[in-house]
Amino acid sequence: MGDARAILDLPSQGSDSKLKKMIIEIMVKPDRQADLARRTDLSAASVSAAIKELTNKGLVETEKGSGSSGKSRGGKVQLRQLRGVVVGVDLGFNHISVVARPVTSSFDQVVQRRETPGMNRGLRLLLPDVLNLIQDAVEETGQKMTDVVTTGLAVPRMVDPLTGTFTPPVLAPWRAEDRPAQELSAKLGVPVAMDNDANLGALAEQTYGSDEAIEHVAYVKASTGVGVGIMIGSILLRGQRGMAGELGHLTIEPDGEMCLCGGRGCLDTIVGAESLVAKAKQAQRGSSRDIPSTLSALVHNAQNGDAVCGRILNDAGRVLGFALAQLCNLINPRHIILGGELAEAGHLVLDTCRQELTRYALTGTVHQDGDFELRTSALSPFAEAQGALILGLQSRSSK
């Protein structure tokens, strides 16, 4: 059995660079040659030549196509046996999520781990728990921690794509001196790539969330705050300093409540978890009822018929729909995918969100002969961790 680490350590320049890039993309997702060309931005001829060489080296094999001709070029290209495990980690405010899988396994064969609390405890206290979850997940794959070859990290904050560190202002619970990727890398002994959680949710949804190629995807992470990851073709739209998609800091009420970012009336102050829970506590003050203290509890109560919690989620959907209408008018996505804790509410949020989205967006952005879709994440609650796994692999293409 070959060693994936040796392949990933190949130089990213020179004659082996295209072969390395192709192997990494097959590790991300076994695919047909035409789809690999789209994902790598390589020509069909370059992909065909690379696959032929990798086949001759005994590293990949191609399934027979499903067409009547039975030609193998229509089938998926997949890796032969290689030792190595890839890991994705999502550090949420209230949770830690980890996924791990052998490099030759499909994305839907990952080992998943999730626990609470999250970054609200602080990085120093959280890091041992993260390492324990990773070890537990890796060992369930049948391999060892020494077999981990790449790791990606999703965080609910803005990340500068040039430096891989937080972009100011560094908002709580993070501190300016926090370096989660570097600290995790030192513990694991492998490079760790880091990006915003909504960005990585979008990357995962476009790669794994549908059997068809979706060019324009907006992934909305709605939990403690609201962020949007935007995929345009194979490009993740990060912006110059990694601040693209900060929908939660879109001003909705100019004279509204103060936001953590220093602004007023941001979307986060209206539909963020703390705001929604505060509304429930205010409405049910003096009551002996089970008053929710978390967004998940609020969603649970609403799904069990609590009128107050149901109305709060309906109203949150309306405000979110208004904000997403502005997003549609700006970038015209084909799919808007809702993830995070708010997505657990399902139709309680989606129905009113869709109403306001349709009301305020330009007609052509949401009525595209049935192509436009607003839905909850197919990968929830591990979309961000799956995207982190992809990031960890793809970051090795340039190293």
Side-chain angles (χ1 to χ4, degrees):
M1 181 183 295
D3 187 354
R5 190 185 303 271
I7 293 173
L8 295 177
D9 286 341
L10 289 172
S12 296
Q13 303 294 328
S15 59
D16 289 330
S17 61
K18 288 184 179 179
L19 296 182
K20 178 181 177 180
K21 186 173 185 178
M22 189 59 55
I23 288 176
I24 286 173
E25 284 304 321
I26 297 170
M27 288 180 182
V28 169
K29 181 183 179 183
D31 227 332
R32 294 171 177 81
Q33 288 193 26
D35 293 319
L36 287 169
R38 173 182 55 81
R39 286 165 46 198
T40 58
D41 290 326
L42 295 173
S43 69
S46 294
V47 170
S48 179
I51 296 302
K52 183 177 180 179
E53 185 172 349
L54 291 173
T55 301
N56 291 337
K57 291 177 180 290
L59 292 172
V60 304
E61 58 188 5
T62 306
E63 297 177 337
K64 287 187 176 182
S66 57
S68 58
S69 65
K71 293 182 180 179
S72 62
R73 67 172 181 267
K76 290 182 179 180
V77 182
Q78 57 192 18
L79 290 172
R80 299 178 70 86
Q81 287 300 309
L82 281 176
R83 188 165 190 83
V85 180
V86 287
V87 173
V89 179
D90 173 30
L91 294 185
F93 288 109
N94 300 304
H95 70 267
I96 311 166
S97 296
V98 170
V99 295
R101 64 171 170 85
V103 293
T104 53
S105 294
S106 172
F107 78 91
D108 55 359
Q109 296 174 324
V110 295
V111 176
Q112 301 174 337
R113 292 290 184 273
R114 187 175 174 91
E115 72 173 34
T116 58
M119 261 310 299
N120 48 17
R121 294 176 57 201
L123 183 60
R124 297 294 180 275
L125 292 175
L126 194 65
L127 196 56
D129 291 342
V130 174
L131 292 169
N132 288 337
L133 282 183
I134 292 174
Q135 181 171 356
D136 190 32
V138 168
E139 289 180 350
E140 188 170 324
T141 70
Q143 299 191 46
K144 303 176 181 178
M145 288 289 281
T146 53
D147 295 315
V148 174
V149 293
T150 68
T151 300
L153 178 62
V155 293
R157 279 293 174 252
M158 302 168 288
V159 177
D160 190 324
L162 297 178
T163 65
T165 58
F166 293 119
T167 300
V170 180
L171 305 179
W174 300 101
R175 301 174 301 173
E177 63 269 23
D178 282 339
R179 297 290 186 269
Q182 288 88 331
E183 293 197 34
L184 189 57
S185 176
K187 298 291 185 181
L188 295 175
V190 298
V192 176
M194 181 175 76
D195 203 350
N196 172 266
D197 54 359
N199 285 349
L200 297 181
L203 181 61
E205 280 290 347
Q206 193 198 55
T207 307
Y208 299 143
S210 175
D211 290 333
E212 61 177 320
I214 306 299
E215 290 294 308
H216 303 104
V217 174
Y219 176 84
V220 182
K221 170 73 181 297
S223 291
T224 303
V226 182
V228 177
I230 301 167
M231 291 293 300
I232 300 176
S234 61
I235 303 299
L236 180 57
L237 183 62
R238 293 183 171 95
Q240 182 179 357
R241 296 294 307 280
M243 300 178 75
E246 287 297 316
L247 192 72
H249 299 293
L250 179 71
T251 301
I252 303 297
E253 297 176 345
D255 297 321
E257 294 183 13
M258 183 69 72
C259 179
L260 185 65
C261 72
R264 280 193 178 277
C266 295
L267 181 64
D268 278 2
T269 68
I270 304 171
V271 303
E274 289 187 6
S275 176
L276 298 181
V277 170
K279 289 181 175 69
K281 291 179 178 179
Q282 174 66 18
Q284 298 175 338
R285 61 191 182 280
S287 170
S288 60
R289 302 170 64 182
D290 178 22
I291 300 175
S293 58
T294 65
L295 179 54
S296 289
L298 190 153
V299 170
H300 174 78
N301 287 4
Q303 291 172 333
N304 283 278
D306 187 302
V308 168
C309 293
R311 178 58 184 269
I312 289 170
L313 293 175
N314 288 164
D315 288 349
R318 289 187 180 91
V319 177
L320 184 61
F322 172 80
L324 292 179
Q326 318 314 311
L327 184 70
C328 284
N329 292 344
L330 283 171
I331 66 169
N332 188 200
R334 180 177 173 188
H335 283 188
I336 294 182
I337 300 164
L338 182 62
E341 289 180 296
L342 199 59
E344 297 172 6
H347 73 92
L348 292 172
V349 167
L350 279 183
D351 288 352
T352 51
C353 182
R354 189 174 287 110
Q355 289 170 9
E356 297 303 283
L357 176 61
T358 303
R359 179 182 178 186
Y360 288 104
L362 288 168
T363 302
T365 66
V366 294
H367 294 292
Q368 303 166 8
D369 298 325
D371 283 346
F372 176 79
E373 183 177 20
L374 169 66
R375 61 172 174 84
T376 54
S377 171
L379 303 173
S380 184
F382 291 94
E384 295 80 10
Q386 285 272 30
L389 183 150
I390 297 171
L391 176 73
L393 278 168
Q394 291 182 339
S395 68
R396 298 302 300 274
S397 291
S398 58
K399 293 181 180 180

